[in-house]
Structures are given as C-alpha cells and as structure tokens.
Amino acid sequence: MSAQTFQTIAPRPAPVNTDGFVAWCKINLFRDWKTSLGTAIIGAILLAVLPPFFRWAIVNAAWVPDHEVCHQAAGACWGVVREKFRFIIFGRYPFDEHWRALIATAMLLSLIIASCMRVCWKAWLPVLWAAVLSVYFTLMYGGVFGLAKVETDMWSGLPLTILLASLSMTMAFPIALVIALGRRSGMPAIRSLCTVYVELIRGVPLISVLFMASFMFPLLMPQGFSIDVLIRVLAGITLFAAAYMAEVIRGGLQAIPKGQIEAAATLGLSYWQTQRKIVLPQALAMVVPGIMNNFISTFKDTSLVAIVSLYELTGAMQMAMNSDANWRPFRIEGYLFIALIYFVFCFAMSRYSKWIEQQVNKSKLR
Amino acid sequence: MSEPIITFDKVNKWYGNNFHVLRDIDLSVAKGERIVICGPSGSGKSTLIRCINRLEEHQQGHLIVDGIELTDDVKAIDQVRKEVGMVFQQFNLFPHLTVLENLTLSPMWVGKMPKKEAEEKAMEQLKRVRIAEQAKKYPLQLSGGQQQRVAIARALCLKPKIMLFDEPTSALDPEMIKEVLDVMIEMASQGITMLCVTHEMGFAKAVADRVIFMDQGQIVEQNNPHDFFNNPQNERSRDFLSKILGH
C-alpha cells in the first residue's frame, strides 16, 4: 500500500451568523421559550417600575432649595441636596474651614489614585505618602501657620470616610500578609497566635470592636494618658479588616502547589525569598477579587463609627437632616444622594480590581 | 572506583508511623556516575532521590552528599542544595515569571550575581537546551517538552555537581519525550553526576553506568544496564522487566 499525503481541510465560516444586534437579541433574549418568557417577565417589571420612578425622580421633582416648594411637589425634593450639600459632605467640620478639608481630601485622593497606577510603583512612593499625610494632618488639624485648630472629633463627612477607609486598608494589608503567612508557619507558637487573633476578631462584630476601642481602651490606660479617638477607631477598623483579609490571602497561599515551594528550595531560596518571589506574587494574583471585596466592605463599614460619635458621610447626612425640621421629611433623597457617592467609590474600586486582574494574569495568556 | 560523592549508609525513612518507605538503603555514587533508578510505583525511588537534597528527611542512618552529612543543620542543607540540581515530573517552573526570569532568579538572589551577567549565563544554558528563542515567553505558553527543557536549564544555572531527575518525561506527550531525553543524553556526556528516576529503558541503556531496581523501599538489584536488562538476577526484577518490556 502506498503512503497517503495528509490533506488539511480549509477552515469555513460558521453556518449561523453570530454578529450584529438581531443575532445578539436572538441568542441572549429569545433563544427558546424559557429565555423568551424570562425576557417578557423582566421587561414587564421594568415597564412597571421605571416610569413611576422616572416621574418621581425627574418629572415631578423639585430642584430649588426651598422647603415650601418641596412640600408641594409630588415628586422628589432634590433641593434638599442643594440646601444641605456642604453639611452632608463636610459634617461638623467648621463651616469657614471647609476649604481645608477639601484641599486635604483632594490631595489624599490624588495620592491614592496615583498609587493605583503602575508608573508610580517606585521607591519614592512611600516617601510621597509620608509627605502627603503630614501635609494632610497639618491642614486638617491646624493650630500652626495661623490655621485654626480643629479637634479630630470634629472631622466628619466624606473626608472622614475617605481617611478612615484609605488608611485602614493600607495598614490592614501588610498586617494581613504577616498573619496569613503566620497561620501557615512551621512554628506552632506563631501559628496558634495568628489563629487566635483571626478567630477572636472574626468572632465579634465590628461595632463592638469600635466600642471597645472607644470606651473600654481608655479605662485600661493609666490616668492622664489618652490616645486620640480617631487613632483608636482607625486601629480598630484596621485590626478588624486585617483578620478577614488574612483569611482571603491564606486561601491564595493554599492554592500554590507544593512543587513551587520545592522548586524554590532546590534553587537555594530562603523562606523569605520563596515567599516574596514565588508564593506571594502567585497567591495574591489569585485573590485579587477577594481582597477587593474586603476593601469595598471596609469602605462601607466606616459608617459604623457613628457609634463612637464620629460622623462620617452617613452620619453627617443624618445629622444634616435631623437638625432642621423643615427638611426632615426628605431624607430619602439624602440617602439616595450618599448612596450615589458610595456607589461611585465602590464601582471605581471594582473596576480597578478588574484592571489589576488583567495585569497579573498576563503570564497566563497564551 | 573513585571517591563517592553520595553515600547512603543504612538509611531508613517512614511516612507516619507505619509506612516504612526506605528500608536499610546502602548506596554509594561515584563522582560523574550516571544512575537510573526504576521500580514499581510506591517503591520509594522518588523518596530516595528527594532525600539527597533534603526535600524529604530520613530518620535513621547517615546520608553524606559531597562531604557534607545531611542533618537538621540548615546551613549544611543550603550547602548541599548549592551542589544539587533537580528536575521534577511536573516541571515546577514559576508561571508568573518569564523563562529568562525563571533561570536568573536563583543566581541573582542566592548567588548575588549582577542581572546582566545572570542573564548572559542563562541565555547560554537556554542555548544548550536549544530553546533560546523562547526566553521572553511565560512557561505556560510553551509545550510540555519545552517547559521541561527550561526546567533543566534552570537547574544547570546553579552549576550543580549532581543532577537529580524525578521522572522527567512521565508527564510528557510521547512526541516530546525525545527532545527532553536528547538534552539529558548530551548532559550525561559532560561528566555531571546524574541520578534519574525513569522508566525510559532506552535512555538507561544509552547512558546509565548503573541501573538500580527498587521495590518496597529496598534496593532489590543493581547492575550495569547490559547485564540488568539481559540477565536480571532477582526474580522480582525479572518480573518487572517482563512487564515493562514485554509488549
């Protein structure tokens, strides 16, 4: 029998067109009777809900900052946001000094955004952090350069939310790393210490951690010795977030095959070199969504500091509404407004997490 | 026989309390010797070579590698690992680093070599395993055979006196086994001490000075490949050979 030549079959286009709007609708909305039914039900719900909401929020809404007009309007009263805007955003911070909080927060936000960008991941970044934070606290606290002194319990609103969230996340992350490594340590003492820490913190709600940081901690200190309430609260949130984040990171550490660590050992790498160069880069890349989850929930958890009389965004909004009888009925609008602010921040974090995932997964693309 | 570079003296090892995985192992390996270790799965052959760079600890007996006895002494272990390279069945390349970074990692961080020099040396090794053009790719972008050759090059970057191979071709498609074996055969001709756990009997016949057959944690038989394959002395090795060569 003579040998045959191997013949490749030329590639052909798919028989059904999958491009274009009509094709998309057919595949995603009306594939069979079940998807068509689903589309119909969801469509009906949207039709029932959206037009009334639209009428309430836009058509019949009152936009002027006048509570008389608002009481008469059939729709939403967005005038309340215009009227109380600065109280919602800056809370108890002295009215004439709002510019300081604005500049300080803008600086902090720019620093955070810069830190998120690859071009800024250089050795000078920590130096920049130190510089910006010292300017930040000088500006916010005052007492020098002719700036009026503003005690930390007056810091509030969005600046406080951003301060608490960004500092506690930045500090919680390294603590979480150490705890996660500690829980997998070969040394039993370190391992149990880290386990006890995680279980203790996870066993109590954040609100009680804050309560303890604020009220119990001073009782245990010698008389005349006190730490600023803001710092105590910051420490509380940080330690709380670190415990959760440590478990997320530990999940990543456990997914690293043993072979990776063995290969590093045969190459002569020390424990810390192995963790830093081999284990952590891969483990962290795997848990980016989980860590971002923690960040986002920490951001929103800052609203619990109201329990210790610090008024961040949510607290400031409530205070702005409650302090004025004329506007009190319009708190739904107030809540929607701060919900929008929270959403903007959380959505930005979630998009950033997606970008990070793409960056770290480059090595897995074929 | 010249000075032994590896000596096992009545080495015993257990997994847990009841699984006696290495039993009274006595073995001495001469400098430059090429040894192939075979045997059924679970016979302790991987464990045996993994003891040599202390990926596994032995509990009894003495194990001396390049004049250093392996104990709990971390410095001694580091010293031994500098002299011993290892290639794994699953390659164990670092997937988040490029091929070149995989090779330069240890010279730069353990050997404190400047980056440029480390990269030059790494490129030499990549040329040696005929894969220099893939230096900038990531491991998962390569075929299995290419990955294993990178792993060999990575081990060679440390200029080891001893190379351990733990079933280097078992995870490869048949078409890729040859390219890896060719690299290993070339290495064998350069005087490096090699211990290789494998069932590639063609490789054993071509390069091995000695074939060791293990079963149940013991060395059952050892001989030069010609006599081992043509005239096995022990009925257990005869049985094993008839199974792997019989078809």
Side-chain angles (χ1 to χ4, degrees), chain A residues 19-331:
Chain A
D19 293 334
F21 179 71
V22 176
W24 184 90
C25 287
K26 194 156 167 40
I27 291 168
N28 292 293
L29 301 178
F30 304 103
R31 186 190 292 269
D32 50 27
W33 73 266
K34 275 184 259 175
T35 31
S36 304
L37 183 67
T39 305
I41 292 174
I42 293 168
I45 293 173
L46 290 180
L47 270 179
V49 171
L50 282 185
F53 179 80
F54 183 74
R55 274 196 300 279
W56 177 80
I58 311 282
V59 181
N60 297 332
W63 302 85
V64 284
D66 178 344
H67 57 90
E68 299 291 335
V69 176
C70 272
H71 278 289
Q72 252 126 66
C77 166
W78 299 117
V80 69
V81 174
R82 281 175 72 179
E83 172 73 18
K84 297 289 177 192
F85 181 74
R86 285 180 64 170
F87 289 107
I88 297 176
I89 298 293
F90 294 106
R92 301 208 292 165
Y93 203 82
F95 193 84
D96 293 332
E97 311 290 339
H98 281 180
W99 62 273
R100 281 160 54 186
L102 179 67
I103 293 174
T105 304
M107 266 172 47
L108 185 59
L109 271 182
S110 318
L111 174 69
I112 293 167
I113 292 169
S115 309
C116 289
M117 292 190 291
R118 186 176 271 264
V119 285
C120 299
W121 297 346
K122 299 276 160 59
W124 46 259
L125 193 60
V127 184
L128 189 66
W129 267 84
V132 168
L133 284 180
S134 40
V135 176
Y136 180 93
F137 283 106
T138 315
L139 206 52
M140 286 293 280
Y141 192 70
V144 282
F145 308 123
L147 297 169
K149 199 167 178 179
V150 182
E151 292 294 343
T152 49
D153 59 349
M154 300 298 279
W155 299 14
S156 44
L158 188 58
L160 182 63
T161 298
I162 291 171
L163 177 72
L164 287 175
S166 57
L167 287 195
S168 58
M169 288 176 213
T170 333
M171 293 188 298
F173 185 67
I175 298 175
L177 269 187
V178 173
I179 304 241
L181 289 174
R183 283 203 71 175
R184 288 167 55 80
S185 161
M187 286 173 265
I190 294 181
R191 202 168 51 229
S192 3
L193 202 67
C194 293
T195 308
V196 166
Y197 172 79
V198 168
E199 295 304 343
L200 271 187
I201 297 275
R202 281 204 305 190
V204 293
L206 175 57
I207 213 157
S208 56
V209 172
L210 291 176
F211 193 81
M212 278 191 279
S214 179
F215 300 115
M216 303 260 297
F217 183 74
L219 295 180
L220 303 175
M221 288 291 113
Q223 253 190 345
F225 181 87
S226 80
I227 300 177
D228 190 280
V229 64
L230 187 67
I231 293 174
R232 277 181 274 143
V233 162
L234 204 49
I237 298 176
T238 302
L239 296 177
F240 188 82
Y244 281 85
M245 213 184 290
E247 286 297 276
V248 173
I249 294 173
R250 192 166 68 95
L253 294 178
Q254 264 162 349
I256 303 298
K258 208 168 156 243
Q260 293 283 306
I261 294 154
E262 286 178 353
T266 60
L267 290 172
L269 268 65
S270 69
Y271 172 82
W272 287 108
Q273 285 172 331
T274 306
Q275 301 305 322
R276 182 163 158 227
K277 290 281 162 190
I278 308 301
V279 176
L280 285 177
Q282 296 185 62
L284 293 179
M286 273 187 270
V287 297
V288 168
I291 291 178
M292 199 46 80
N293 223 356
N294 273 129
F295 276 6
I296 288 176
S297 72
T298 303
F299 184 80
K300 292 182 293 183
D301 281 351
T302 55
S303 55
L304 291 173
V305 298
I307 180 104
V308 296
S309 311
L310 287 176
Y311 297 92
E312 47 57 74
L313 187 57
T314 312
M317 191 277 296
Q318 284 169 335
M319 194 160 56
M321 296 294 158
N322 292 338
S323 59
D324 190 339
N326 290 334
W327 293 101
R328 215 171 280 163
F330 306 110
R331 62 177 59 165

Side-chain angles (χ1 to χ4, degrees), chain A residues 257-270 273 276-279 281-282 362-366, chain B residues 50 53 55 78 81 84 86 88 92-97 102 105-106 109-110 112 138 140-141 154-155 158:
Chain A
K258 208 168 156 243
Q260 293 283 306
I261 294 154
E262 286 178 353
T266 60
L267 290 172
L269 268 65
S270 69
Q273 285 172 331
R276 182 163 158 227
K277 290 281 162 190
I278 308 301
V279 176
Q282 296 185 62
K362 271 187 180 156
S363 64
K364 299 207 178 73
L365 302 176
R366 278 169 190 264
Chain B
R50 286 161 60 90
N53 60 359
L55 287 183
D78 280 346
R81 282 178 180 166
V84 182
M86 186 159 194
F88 300 86
N92 292 348
L93 293 175
F94 305 129
H96 60 301
L97 301 177
N102 264 277
L105 183 74
S106 178
W109 289 85
V110 183
K112 307 280 175 228
Y138 286 96
L140 294 182
Q141 294 167 322
R154 182 175 70 178
L158 298 175

Side-chain angles (χ1 to χ4, degrees), chain B residues 204-205 208-211 223-232 241:
Chain B
K205 282 176 192 162
D209 298 312
R210 184 159 37 141
V211 178
N223 213 332
N224 66 65
H226 181 268
D227 290 342
F228 178 77
F229 289 113
N230 295 320
N231 187 19
L241 283 174

